[in-house]
Amino acid sequence: MSVGPLSPGTRQRLLQGQADPLPAPLSRSVAIFISSTVSDMDAEREALQSTAFPEVQTFCQKNGLMFEVVDLRWGIRNTEATDHMTTELCLEELDRCRKTSIGPAFVALLGDQYGPCPVPTLIEEKEWEALRSQLASKPRDLELVARRFRRDENAVPPTYLLQALGTAETQGPEEATLTSVLRSGAQEARRLGLITQEQWHRYHWSVIEWEIDRGLLSLTDGDQGATVFLREIQDLNKHILEDCALKMVDRLADGCLDTDAQNLLSGLKGRIADTQPGVLKAHHLPWSRDLVNPKNKAHARYLKELGEQFVARANHQVLEHLREQEAGRQELAWLYQEIRHHLGLSTEATWTFCGRQELLAQLGQRLRQSDGHPHSPLVLFGPPGIGKTALMCKLAEQMPGLLGRKTVTVLRLLGMSQMSSDARGLLQSICFQVCLAYGLPLPPAQVLEAHARVVQFFHTLLHTVSCRNFESLVILLDSMDDVDSICRARRVPWLPPRCPPRIHLILSACSGKPGILDIMRQTLTDPEAYWEVKPLSGNQGQEMIQLLLAASRRTLSPGQRELLWASLPECGHPGRLRLAFEEARKWASFTIPAPLASTAKEAIHQLCARLEQTHGQLLVAHVLSYIVSSRHGLSEAELKDVLSLDDEVLEAVYQDWTPPSKELLRFPPLLWVRLRRDLGHCLARRPVDGFTLLAIAHRQLTEVIQERYLSGPERAKRHGVLADFFSGAWSQGTKKLITLPLVGKPLNLDRKVAPQPLWFSDTVANLRKLKELPHHLVHSGRFEELKQEVLGSMNWISCRGVSGGIEGLLEDFDLYGPHLDCPEVGLVRDALQLCRPALELRGMERSILYTELLARLHFFATSHPALVGQLCQQAQSWFRLCPHPVLVPLGGFLQPPGGPLRATFTGCHKGITAMGWSLEEKLLVVGTQDGLMAVWDMEEQQVIHILTGHTGEVRSVKVFGKGTLVLSASKDHTLRLWNLLSGQQKFTIWDGGSKDPTDPEIWSLHVDEAKKVVYLASGSKISAWNLETAELVFHILGDASDCWMCTAVLASRATLLTVSEGGVVSLWSSGTGKLQGRHHLSSIKEETPTCGVSVQKQGKMVTGFSKGSISLVSPGGDSLLEKLPEAVRFLVVSEDESLLAAGFGRSVRIFLADSQGFHRFMATDLEHEDTVEIAGFGPENNLIVTASRDALIQVWSLSEQGTLLDILEGVGAPVSLLAWAGALVASASQQSSSLKVWDLTYIQKPRACTPFLDRTGLTAVSHNGSYVYFPKIGDKNKVTIWDSAEVLEAGKAKAEAPADRCLVTAGSPVADGHLLITSSQEHREGSKLPCHFHKGTNPIVGALPSRPNHLPTPSG
């Protein structure tokens, strides 16, 4: 197979969704067809199976390729090898290998046998008449041919079909006579010019000549990876008539030498030598009476050379092809492969499309009407098998005509490829296709690291395409039920509730039982968005079957047609019609068919019963069960390996004959090829990880297979065999016992299945094992193996993480961890979740993963030795052997799992400016500097909506309506009301403000649900709108020269209260906006208001001022509450308004409510080492959380008079936002795109010791590792020096370097081999002190133990 880079025109057609013509698919497989006769090449085939094939397989695996050998003569009897259908099957398999194989595709083993010429199974009418005319003078020959062939009028044109004999006893002689008669007739017909040379070959060529001609001699573009190994026995002619020699050559039925066959063999060898001498590898053996015997030294040497030549040539051909691929490597080849795959499936689906014209016209009209304005996506729904996929494909094909304009059409048949089976891959491929189609920048690598960023990019991309004068974009996503993450979720998080102009999203989903359709209705609430796909009419159903028959060049007799229509009364389900066609196409005109099943389920059971009758119940049951049981499907090579491990199947196969080898045992591939051909349309081929996997094509067939074959213990057995295969338990020479019926004693045989290491090479991971093995361990009940070999193995965790990213690794823990009753697995999962921000930021490097994980899990190594302790030991062993410089933790120093940190979210591109909780729906709403809003589902820990619309920074969000609605206010002077469940915007309000960026940034948003009014105060104006109608209630304009600094809505007094910069208190009616009074502050002089908070129960507003005063302001006047030493930075009250916190400088003071207002609650203030930015009370008033500019969050106990309970690490920037929801608190910063969610119930649980927190982000180690230097907290002009041996502060020094530089001791760190340790500004969770650095395998810097918790923080 040779695939070059795509032309620009082809790439553009693919990107725009044009299906014709399609380039050849890419392949990552090496499939070699082995051609040989059955009886004289046993030794050669076994020698290749034993040594050569495994070597080539290992070589292919190291290069990321899957290896498959197709030897249809292995393990079968001679009668099966010469079966009438075998030639056809062999040529089909040969074509498949040539089409899909990288490098070698065909190897022939040619000796001194030509092999039998099978009788053709089918003769076309004209050819039949030519033969018949030559046999007219031989009545007995004519009678034999007429008896063995029967005319089939259902073929177009009619054909004559070979009829099987009733008994095996008469088969041999009559078969030979029939072959001779047909050869005679063909010879005479060819002489008279009645048939062609190609037709003459059908009666003279053996199977091996057909294969060599197809795989080598008929090629017009070189040998295409073909090799012929020729074995010539010296002096064979001298012994040709001896009994032992006759076993090596062709014989007639009477045992005599078949001279015709020998002449044809000589001619075949001559053709090869003349046309393709370069592929010929000749071996000359001395004559021996024992044929080819490995015990004979000369023969053993020959077999060894044969294997070495096979390996060398195959590996060379693979390498050459890989070099060609690399030289012509197509950028983003994976994307074009994905698009091509879905367009190819679409072309197949629309071949026989009929009916639905009215529905197509209605959909086209709807699309045209909505093209110019925002609209809802469309959903096509109906029961399985109703024809939704064909309709979606037809829509994609006709989209430019339906819309009446040029379009870019993106089509994905979900579940039909790996990328379309999960939301991450699906969105990534769509974003890449849309960007390339419109010439837009591709999503950057940082976006692709986190699914939340991809979701945001997708939503932004739709609006970008809409805003520009581009062609319309149409995205069609068929079968939403087949996206794994959607089926497991409560919502469809990436689904936009509204499409912008010129953007169309069309989805399909199954109806009839609870599922994805119900989930989608929560997001897409417009009932007109849903279009039911109804059954075809009776006439349309008949038309569909007629089209299918015509496409397959078949027809039916009148009686058969009547029976077919009678079996399908008014059946308009295309899936059921397709099943009926698959049965009817097999009917010959002389067939008397049985009535067909009336339902799709019965028809599928009927299909299974027919397959069982033909191929055996056990084989059919196990093959279909393995395919259904696999997570993503199985390749042909994998399936044959799995069947070779299935003792039940092998015992059934070798019930009547013994296998050809005494050392190895394999499943005969021919039996699978026959079954695969009869399965036909039931199998789908899906690209997964670069390989083509087989899967069941129809959901209903999958359900029947599960019901019929996978009930009870059978399910666990099938998964057990698959687990054995993917674990590599019986690979690399490990033999497996089996007792075959004809042997009667246990045999320990090598099954020669593919090895399954985690890494095939330093850079090539075993992706198939990573995806499949955990799935099968769970479903086979092998939980201990899952715990020890997968979720509790550092090798597995690092391989899965490096090859599939942190999200894929976490997904595995989420999928399989709940099956284990093991809290330690939860600890590992939580530790990985804590590692996620660093890995997404820096990339999934193995050293980072090992360092992060060990530094978090080391706390639990002693208390949880079974799993966590084992993981820590594995990590430490890896560090000892690591040949590269790496940071080695000697203890736990990063935030451990099981602590307060519940999640870190990194979905936003800009800093976070507003947050609000929906406690009832467990949602967190986040507003950002770029105007976007993200809605996070706390249970799923993913973005469920990206709310687009604001063009300026989101300043405030308010969640209400029992957690289902949110109001957002932005610097673009708009308010927007959103439905949090659907993500749809209900209305937009413009507040009438100017675009002047110098406008004051004092914002206040208040929602009065009782009165259904929303109030917005900004600068010198206050506006009120009706929450239901968005109509303006009133608008108040103040004095622009004396802006309002604080505003409160006092609901109990129906009053709006404002305090201006100049100290003027104004009172307004909250119902009408009329002025009720105005006075100056009496308790405050020469101070400017800085912050305020309303106390509804007291009907007052607490106001803070620039020189530290705190005043209680009410409609009746004001009074001084407290005088603080510094300006008041913020004021917050508890939920029940019984507590007040005031922030100033580095401190927070707590007040308790009383009848007069508030009084001081504690004698001491809560202290930070840097300026305090924000605070918040817990829901039960027993905790207060404070956050400071040095990115630290401190948790204090109010029930213990301000005891410091814990210090938490923020997001590497000043914490400016805190939001409570029960025991959860979210923290964020305007300077960071990340936010963290903490669960503060942890304070009541036993915890690991808290790591020492390095808040500076800058650390240096002295040349001998004795001292550690870092800037002093709160005063970065000073450097704190730690004595690492005494763990005590040794002194202070003035930093001569600027504050943003690290102080480095004298001497060249690089030249002397001394290393500088720094902690990233973006990821500062803990000190890098308890660690050492390995350079190669020698530690450079000694262990620096962390400061005990009871020691005071160094103060400089």
Side-chain angles (χ1 to χ4, degrees), residues 280-355:
L280 205 57
K281 306 294 179 185
H283 293 265
H284 303 281
L285 268 69
W287 160 257
S288 172
R289 300 183 64 84
D290 55 358
L291 303 179
V292 178
N293 185 356
K295 296 180 180 179
N296 181 307
K297 290 185 178 180
H299 293 179
R301 187 165 55 251
Y302 152 66
L303 293 174
K304 182 182 178 184
E305 290 175 359
L306 175 70
E308 290 172 348
Q309 282 187 342
F310 179 93
V311 171
R313 184 158 174 83
N315 291 356
H316 173 75
Q317 290 169 331
V318 170
L319 271 181
E320 285 294 305
H321 201 92
L322 287 174
R323 289 193 187 105
E324 289 177 17
Q325 276 194 346
E326 185 62 27
R329 188 163 56 92
Q330 174 71 60
E331 191 176 0
L332 296 175
W334 62 267
L335 174 65
Y336 296 108
Q337 168 76 345
E338 178 76 359
I339 300 170
R340 192 217 68 84
H341 175 68
H342 292 283
L343 291 178
L345 294 174
S346 174
T347 301
E348 294 177 13
T350 54
W351 273 345
T352 55
F353 183 87
C354 62

Side-chain angles (χ1 to χ4, degrees), residues 78 105 192 213 267 281 335 356 428 451 520 551 625 727 757 768 854 1203 1318:
N78 288 358
L192 297 174
D213 183 75
K281 306 294 179 185
L335 174 65
R356 316 278 197 207
Q428 286 187 21
H451 179 55
M520 290 169 63
S625 296
S727 68
R768 295 290 298 131
L854 181 56
T1203 302
T1318 65

